[in-house]
Amino acid sequence: SEVVTGLKIMAWLLRPERCVIGIEDNKPEAATALHKATQGTQIEIAVIPTKYPSGGEKQLIQILTGMEVPSGGIPADIGVMCQNVGTAVAVAQAVFEGSPLISRIVTVTGEAVEKPGNFDVLLGTPVEYLLEQASLQPSRASRLVLGGPMMGYTLTTTAVPIIKTSNCIIAATANELPAP
C-alpha cells in the first residue's frame, strides 16, 4: 500500500497519462499484493518476463511503453518518468509521516553468508556491519559485490557506507562468480 500511496502522490504532482508498475514474473506474491493495492485506481500492473536486463530503466520503459529512450538521452526526453518502488515508499513516508529518507532495504545474498535476506538499513551503516548481521563466512567469500551481478562493482573494502542507491550486497563464492 505504501508503494501505491507514493505513486498516487507522484501522479498527482506530475499528471501523467498512464501509471504503470512493472514487476517481473518471478515475484507472484508481490504481483498479487500490488494488484490488490491498486484496485479502484487507474494504476496498471504489468507482469513482465524475468530476463536481464529488463529491469534496467531504459529497457523497462521500452517493454512497458514501446518507446525508446534515445542514446545519450533521459526518459524525460520522451515524456516518461521512471521511479523505483523504494522511491515511491520514501515519497509516501515523507508526505504522510514527515519521515526523511534515512534507510534503505538492502538485499544481502550469496553462498558466503549464512543468513541471507532483506535488511532495513540506516544510510551510513558500514557494509562490514551489515555483512556481520548476515553471518558472512570470510573464508568462503571470493568476491564482494555492491549492486547486482551485472551492474554492481567489486568492493575492495567493507569500510564503505550504505548510501541511498545501495540495494544489494553479494558475498559470492568462487563457484558463484568465477574470475573472467
Side-chain angles (χ1 to χ4, degrees):
S1 64
E2 280 187 305
V3 170
V4 173
T5 299
L7 182 55
K8 286 179 180 178
I9 294 165
M10 289 186 280
W12 186 82
L13 291 167
L14 299 169
R15 309 291 178 172
E17 291 178 22
R18 290 176 68 202
C19 287
V20 184
I21 299 174
I23 185 161
E24 292 173 319
D25 61 7
N26 67 347
K27 297 168 183 65
E29 294 100 2
T32 299
L34 285 167
H35 274 293
K36 183 177 178 184
T38 57
Q39 294 222 338
T41 73
Q42 293 185 355
I43 298 168
E44 303 169 43
I45 304 297
V47 178
I48 63 171
T50 304
K51 183 178 176 187
Y52 183 82
S54 62
E57 180 180 56
K58 291 180 179 182
Q59 292 79 11
L60 186 59
I61 289 168
Q62 187 166 20
I63 291 167
L64 297 176
T65 68
M67 297 187 294
E68 188 171 341
V69 178
S71 179
I74 61 172
D77 294 339
I78 60 169
V80 174
M81 175 71 63
C82 186
Q83 299 294 334
N84 64 43
V85 294
T87 299
V89 170
V91 166
Q93 291 172 342
V95 170
F96 288 108
E97 299 170 19
S99 300
L101 178 60
I102 60 169
S103 66
R104 285 273 314 171
I105 302 295
V106 179
T107 299
V108 180
T109 190
E111 292 179 8
V113 292
E114 287 185 350
K115 300 177 193 168
N118 297 315
F119 297 81
D120 192 357
V121 183
L122 291 172
L123 300 182
T125 298
V127 166
E128 178 179 33
Y129 177 81
L130 186 53
L131 289 169
E132 286 173 15
Q133 303 314 300
S135 297
L136 173 67
Q137 304 300 299
S139 62
R140 297 189 66 207
S142 80
R143 197 159 130 203
L144 295 174
V145 177
L146 185 60
M150 303 298 273
M151 298 299 289
Y153 56 90
T154 299
L155 290 176
T156 56
T157 178
T158 57
V160 295
I162 296 299
I163 60 173
K164 68 179 183 174
T165 57
S166 302
N167 63 351
C168 181
I169 300 169
I170 302 170
T173 62
N175 287 340
E176 285 180 287
L177 291 177

